[in-house]
Structure formats: C-alpha cells, structure tokens
C-alpha cells in the first residue's frame, strides 16, 4: 500500500500528491523515475488559450501538470493534468482519460504483470487490458505494428 492508503479508495487531490504516489511506486518496484513539472496556465498543455504572461486560471489558481517517465521495461510514461485526469502510455500505447485517483492502481497492474493483451482471431485485433479496482478494466486498441516484445509476451 502507498502511504497506508487502501488502494481501492486512494484519493490524490493534487498533481503533487499523484507525483508523490508515483515516486513511491517507483521505489517499490525499483524503477528509475524522471519528473518534469509545468506550472502556470501559460505552461500547461491544455491551456493554450492563456494569454502571454498569464500564469493563473480565471479563478486565480495556478494549474500544475507533471510528466513522469519510468525507467525499465515496460516503457511507461504518465502525463498528469490539472483537471484530475491523466494520459498513461505503455509501450507506445496511449491510454487517455485515466482518473488521477486510478493512476497508481493502473501502474501497479502493469508493473505486477496483471495487464495483458487480448487477441481476437476474427476480425484480427489486439487490446491492452488493464485491471482496475472495483472489477473495472481499461481497454485500449493496440495496432499490430505496435506490438512490442513486452506487449507480445502478454498476449492471451
């Protein structure tokens, strides 16, 4: 468990709280981690409408986005958005719209080998399936050309 929290009810109210949880995961799985922070409306990726020199939202808050890369295999990166969601990329497969509170559970499934690739014979196709708490799964289409050795080793 991270910080004594129950995994199913993990609440990460801020980007910084999520980064702290991801650092703990990296330590738990002995992975290198690199974090880049973008702070201010003029720096975050979803705030392109912010004027030059404008760093706060209209409400006065300072948006905080972070990009996290884990070392090792599988290749995993996480972009944490100020809007309480994230984009997780596993071996080149983008998994958008992951709730920030689900990010640690998603990564645990990947790092512990619970995530797998489901193959379909007809029509041929592949999906990355990542189990989440509460009998939920995240499924993402995997183009055949992007089946890396790690993804191929998890085909069911």
């Amino acid at each position: 468990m991270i910080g004594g929290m129950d995994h199913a009810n993990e609440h990460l109210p801020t980007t910084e709280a999520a980064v702290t949880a991801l650092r703990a995961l990296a330590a738990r799985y002995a992975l290198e981690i690199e974090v880049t922070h973008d702070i201010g409306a003029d720096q975050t990726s979803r705030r392109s409408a912010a004027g030059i020199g404008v760093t706060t939202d209209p409400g006065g808050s300072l948006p905080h986005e972070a990009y996290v890369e884990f070392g090792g295999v599988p290749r995993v990166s996480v972009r944490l958005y100020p809007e309480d969601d994230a984009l997780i990329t596993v071996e080149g497969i983008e998994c958008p719209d992951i709730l920030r509170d689900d990010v640690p559970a998603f990564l645990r499934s990947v790092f512990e080998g619970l995530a797998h690739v489901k193959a379909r014979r007809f029509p041929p196709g592949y999906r990355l399936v990542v189990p989440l708490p509460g009998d939920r799964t995240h499924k993402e289409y995997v183009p055949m050309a992007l089946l890396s050795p790690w993804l191929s080793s998890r085909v069911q």
Side-chain angles (χ1 to χ4, degrees), residues 23-79:
R23 287 185 192 280
L25 274 177
R28 177 178 177 181
Y29 297 105
L31 298 170
E32 291 184 20
I33 186 172
E34 186 175 321
V35 181
T36 305
H37 295 274
D38 294 318
I39 301 174
D42 60 336
Q43 299 295 312
T44 58
S45 64
R46 291 184 176 168
R47 308 297 170 114
S48 59
I52 296 174
V54 176
T55 58
T56 60
D57 285 338
S61 65
L62 198 60
H64 179 193
E65 184 174 297
Y67 180 75
V68 180
E69 262 187 300
F70 291 89
V73 176
R75 293 173 295 132
V76 176
S77 65
V78 180
R79 179 163 299 279

Side-chain angles (χ1 to χ4, degrees), residues 109-127:
S109 287
V110 170
F111 296 144
E112 292 177 5
L114 300 174
H116 60 277
V117 175
K118 192 79 169 167
R120 190 175 62 204
R121 291 181 194 252
F122 190 81
Y126 298 93
R127 290 207 176 275

